[in-house]
Amino acid sequence: MRACVPLIVAILCSLAWAVEEDPEEPEPFLGLEEEVLEAPASNLYTAPSSCRYRCHEAFDRHQPCHCNARCPEFGNCCKDFESLCGHEGFSYSRDAITKEGLQSISEKIYRADINKAQKEDIILNSQNRILPSETRDQVDRCPEPLFTYVNEKLFSKPTYAAFISLLNNYQRATGRGEHFDGQQLAEQDAFLREVMKTAVMKELYGFLRHQNRYISEQEFVSDLKNMWFGLYSRGNEEEDSSGFEHVFSGEIKKGKVTGFHNWIRFYMQEKEGLVDYYSHIYDGPWDSYPDVLAMQFRWDGYYKEVGSAFIGSSPEFEFALYSLCFIARPGKACQLSLGGYPLAIQTYPWDKSTYGNGKKYIATAYVVSSTR
């Protein structure tokens, strides 16, 4: 019997700017890959209710729960099946999503993003770059806005319009429960319908189906809805947050900005005078859009120490990459490639609530590195 043992390696030592944005959120898992090692004989015994050292074992009706590839179908998996057996070897080794596979599909998604901004659509004024050690100073070193010009005709494109309609559906303060009315639920469905029409999401679904993650587009869309719009508890009250709210819209927790990783949201809030751009510590190597910027800013009185975001990407592009990384590398740095440049995205599963068979909501997703 073989077991998956995480190999912890310090990969962020050369990426000093990629600090943890919220010390109360789960610590990032620093292993890029899981290394399959032979389990010592003394470790082969495990609790009967766990999948540790039991991934893909043959069905045994005497076991109280199971860890084989078909246990999700029968609803009799052990509670830790998804975390121990459900990724990097989803059912069998042939289904594993490799680093090379991630790089290949991310390049295809990058090329398929026909709705992204063109060079003439955005004029960015990044101004002063600071050192990572200065991010906590909360000093405004940029007197002018980040965005000098954005061609707002972009926002009339179906996926942009559907995305923007979602941004005002949330209370940004954690600890206050979210409640969606019929129209807001319809807006979630409309967004999913629009993004699924795009070449970006068709590439992603085709890849994941080939990897045996989903058997139908309907199953995939249902999972995306729960993954991104399902509510979980981030504060004292139940159901006060969601992956979409955190990543794209932004939240305030204990007097600090958390999440808020979307350029469209940033531009619209800056235009309204609610965002004050302070500085940046990283500007990506791309000479076209999408690009990556790691910045400091104040949002309606609350400070964001390091907020990384794609610039000029379409909503479906970000939605696809973050979903890919959450499915393929939950809780890990997800190594991708865009236009020949390496890039990593960190996601975090959130344990306070689950959907489906032990799957966890996406808690945060953000770009952690990009180097030549």
Side-chain angles (χ1 to χ4, degrees):
M1 184 181 294
R2 299 179 70 82
C4 290
V5 180
L7 177 66
I8 308 298
V9 291
I11 62 168
L12 298 184
C13 59
S14 63
L15 307 170
W17 63 266
V19 297
E20 171 57 42
E21 65 172 19
D22 185 346
E24 292 195 1
E25 291 198 358
E27 287 297 315
F29 183 92
L30 299 182
L32 291 185
E33 303 288 346
E34 285 188 340
E35 183 170 310
V36 178
L37 303 176
E38 196 71 39
S42 60
N43 290 341
L44 291 179
Y45 174 79
T46 187
S49 60
S50 173
C51 281
R52 187 170 298 280
Y53 309 128
R54 292 177 55 203
C55 293
H56 318 310
E57 70 176 6
F59 175 79
D60 181 352
R61 63 185 179 86
H62 298 293
Q63 293 284 7
C65 62
H66 305 279
C67 308
N68 57 74
R70 298 191 67 187
C71 69
E73 178 182 345
F74 291 98
N76 56 11
C77 299
C78 297
K79 62 182 179 180
D80 56 6
F81 170 80
E82 184 70 17
S83 61
L84 295 180
C85 312
H87 61 284
E88 295 210 72
F90 188 75
S91 57
Y92 296 100
S93 60
R94 65 176 179 268
D95 300 330
I97 297 179
T98 65
K99 179 179 177 180
E100 292 74 21
L102 286 173
Q103 292 174 337
S104 175
I105 185 57
S106 56
E107 285 287 1
K108 289 179 180 179
I109 289 171
Y110 178 75
R111 292 192 296 270
D113 189 16
I114 61 174
N115 284 330
K116 67 183 179 181
Q118 302 302 310
K119 285 187 178 181
E120 63 272 15
D121 288 327
I122 298 175
I123 299 176
L124 208 63
N125 186 11
S126 56
Q127 301 167 77
N128 288 319
R129 180 172 180 172
I130 65 171
L131 297 173
S133 59
E134 299 175 295
T135 59
R136 297 181 181 177
D137 294 348
Q138 300 193 31
V139 176
D140 187 353
R141 295 180 173 88
C142 297
E144 299 175 357
L146 174 62
F147 289 95
T148 299
Y149 168 77
V150 171
N151 178 6
E152 294 192 8
K153 290 182 179 179
L154 287 169
F155 301 159
S156 64
K157 293 186 176 184
T159 55
Y160 284 79
F163 173 83
I164 291 169
S165 71
L166 294 169
L167 295 176
N168 63 354
N169 290 351
Y170 299 96
Q171 303 180 74
R172 68 181 184 180
T174 58
R176 299 172 61 185
E178 299 287 355
H179 305 282
F180 301 123
D181 59 29
Q183 179 179 342
Q184 291 169 333
L185 292 173
E187 288 171 350
Q188 295 173 7
D189 292 334
F191 174 73
L192 291 170
R193 282 197 305 272
E194 291 301 332
V195 296
M196 287 306 299
K197 295 175 184 177
T198 66
V200 162
M201 292 299 289
K202 290 185 185 301
E203 286 282 3
L204 176 60
Y205 169 65
F207 172 77
L208 293 173
R209 181 169 182 175
H210 180 72
Q211 297 291 153
N212 292 325
R213 293 308 197 269
Y214 301 97
I215 61 173
S216 69
E217 186 173 306
Q218 181 181 5
E219 180 192 19
F220 178 50
V221 173
S222 177
D223 201 32
L224 288 174
K225 183 172 182 178
N226 286 316
M227 184 190 307
W228 283 100
F229 297 109
L231 295 172
Y232 58 82
S233 174
R234 191 178 281 275
N236 295 326
E237 184 172 339
E238 292 297 315
E239 301 186 337
D240 66 339
S241 187
S242 71
F244 186 93
E245 176 185 8
H246 180 83
V247 173
F248 295 113
S249 184
E251 297 178 292
I252 303 298
K253 181 179 179 181
K254 296 184 178 180
K256 296 193 303 182
V257 178
T258 180
F260 202 131
H261 300 289
N262 178 257
W263 74 272
I264 300 170
R265 174 68 162 168
F266 191 102
Y267 165 74
M268 296 179 74
Q269 292 286 283
E270 186 178 62
K271 184 179 178 181
E272 292 184 23
L274 297 175
V275 163
D276 185 1
Y277 172 66
Y278 271 31
S279 56
H280 72 283
I281 55 173
Y282 176 81
D283 190 357
W286 294 272
D287 58 6
S288 61
Y289 297 117
D291 202 347
V292 175
L293 195 69
M295 51 196 164
Q296 293 67 52
F297 59 90
R298 191 170 291 278
W299 181 30
D300 200 19
Y302 300 95
Y303 185 64
K304 178 74 173 181
E305 188 174 312
V306 179
S308 56
F310 287 105
I311 305 293
S313 54
S314 70
E316 61 265 28
F317 174 84
E318 294 182 49
F319 194 70
L321 287 190
Y322 293 149
S323 298
L324 169 65
C325 286
F326 186 67
I327 293 166
R329 299 290 189 273
K332 299 182 182 182
C334 176
Q335 302 297 310
L336 307 178
S337 179
L338 302 179
Y341 293 97
L343 171 140
I345 291 175
Q346 178 76 46
T347 64
Y348 294 103
W350 194 253
D351 293 320
K352 291 188 178 180
S353 188
T354 63
Y355 68 90
N357 186 43
K359 296 180 180 179
K360 298 176 176 64
Y361 293 126
I362 191 167
T364 183
Y366 63 100
V367 180
V368 297
S369 69
S370 175
T371 54
R372 185 64 174 174

